[in-house]
Amino acid sequence: EDKVVQSPLSLVVHEGDTVTLNCSYEVTNFRSLLWYKQEKKAPTFLFMLTSSGIEKKSGRLSSILDKKELFSILNITATQTGDSAVYLCAVEATGTASKLTFGTGTRLQVTL
Amino acid sequence: NAGVTQTPKFRVLKTGQSMTLLCAQDMNHEYMYWYRQDPGMGLRLIHYSVGEGTTAKGEVPDGYNVSRLKKQNFLLGLESAAPSQTSVYFCATKRGATEAFFGQGTRLTVV
């Protein structure tokens, strides 16, 4: 059974801080790892990583995948209150109808 | 272009009542999924479909049924609601090995 573990479960930081969110996984026939941001409603897509060691970057957010050690990190620099959300990590295996297995998420709160 | 639309957005049911949640997509995606999200549990897959006329069970299928009579619609049914089915339900669609797109969710309370 595929498994995704995220840490920490929750985090409170001050605006301007840098945060690192962790995601480790166990999956047979790994295809990709995805990060989503969830505010009050639907999760919104951030990154998809398929190759190890390649960094995906979008503004202040970046993510890297380590396929050997089976984990990914999501970094947010110069955090803003608008970054407050639950960050979800998910993995997809090949041959599984592209189903995603999600972790429980990390709740990030950015305070002034 | 609405993307993924779920109806209703909120519902309160009494134990034993039935209801159907509708997911409609206009992105022409083959794959559709129903997830439930509970505090501390993340998103768990209930049922999914890889195309019109096909459905399959996910991780937590008990108490739910689904149908995909048209490519753009995926229905989730609760035949006899139980308090344990109180949750937020999300529909998602994918075009193969790409990111999933989510609807806005349905908050269901069973009393």
Side-chain angles (χ1 to χ4, degrees):
Chain A
E1 184 178 319
D2 299 341
K3 187 175 178 183
V4 178
V5 178
Q6 292 186 245
S7 64
L9 291 180
S10 65
L11 192 56
V12 180
V13 301
H14 293 294
E15 199 171 45
D17 288 349
T18 293
V19 299
T20 298
L21 309 183
N22 304 293
C23 175
S24 63
Y25 63 90
E26 297 173 21
V27 60
T28 303
N29 299 321
F30 174 87
R31 169 181 274 164
S32 61
L33 184 145
L34 297 89
W35 284 97
Y36 283 84
K37 178 182 181 181
Q38 186 178 26
E39 297 175 85
K40 298 230 182 269
K41 295 184 178 179
T44 53
F45 173 74
L46 294 174
F47 300 114
M48 182 167 72
L49 301 119
T50 57
S51 300
S52 192
I54 293 178
E55 183 180 15
K56 289 282 184 89
K57 193 173 172 68
S58 177
R60 297 177 294 101
L61 277 67
S62 63
S63 182
I64 194 162
L65 172 69
D66 186 326
K67 286 173 71 174
K68 181 180 177 184
E69 299 299 330
L70 307 183
F71 76 89
S72 175
I73 60 172
L74 175 67
N75 272 327
I76 309 174
T77 60
T79 52
Q80 302 171 357
T81 55
D83 296 325
S84 296
V86 174
Y87 290 84
L88 298 167
C89 174
V91 294
E92 179 183 340
T94 59
T96 61
S98 294
K99 293 179 291 180
L100 296 178
T101 300
F102 284 86
T104 55
T106 293
R107 182 174 296 277
L108 173 65
Q109 184 180 352
V110 182
T111 63
L112 291 171
Chain B
N1 188 347
V4 183
T5 303
Q6 290 182 230
T7 52
K9 291 186 172 43
F10 303 93
R11 185 75 185 267
V12 178
L13 283 181
K14 293 183 179 179
T15 297
Q17 287 185 319
S18 63
M19 79 164 293
T20 300
L21 283 69
L22 170 64
C23 177
Q25 54 116 346
D26 62 5
M27 295 184 290
N28 202 34
H29 286 173
E30 288 294 331
Y31 298 163
M32 297 186 75
Y33 311 86
W34 276 108
Y35 289 90
R36 60 178 288 173
Q37 187 174 36
D38 303 294
M41 301 289 287
L43 286 155
R44 293 183 293 167
L45 183 64
I46 305 171
H47 285 279
Y48 63 98
S49 169
V50 299
E52 181 178 316
T54 72
T55 63
K57 294 180 180 180
E59 181 186 356
V60 289
D62 294 342
Y64 305 95
N65 56 76
V66 288
S67 65
R68 185 126 179 245
L69 299 179
K70 293 182 179 180
K71 184 177 182 179
Q72 63 266 36
N73 295 337
F74 194 28
L75 279 68
L76 178 71
L78 287 73
E79 290 186 350
S80 179
S84 61
Q85 294 177 304
T86 293
S87 188
V88 180
Y89 293 85
F90 286 101
C91 174
T93 72
K94 279 172 117 266
R95 188 184 64 241
T98 63
E99 72 270 26
F101 294 84
F102 286 85
Q104 291 299 298
T106 296
R107 184 174 295 276
L108 175 66
T109 302
V110 183
V111 297

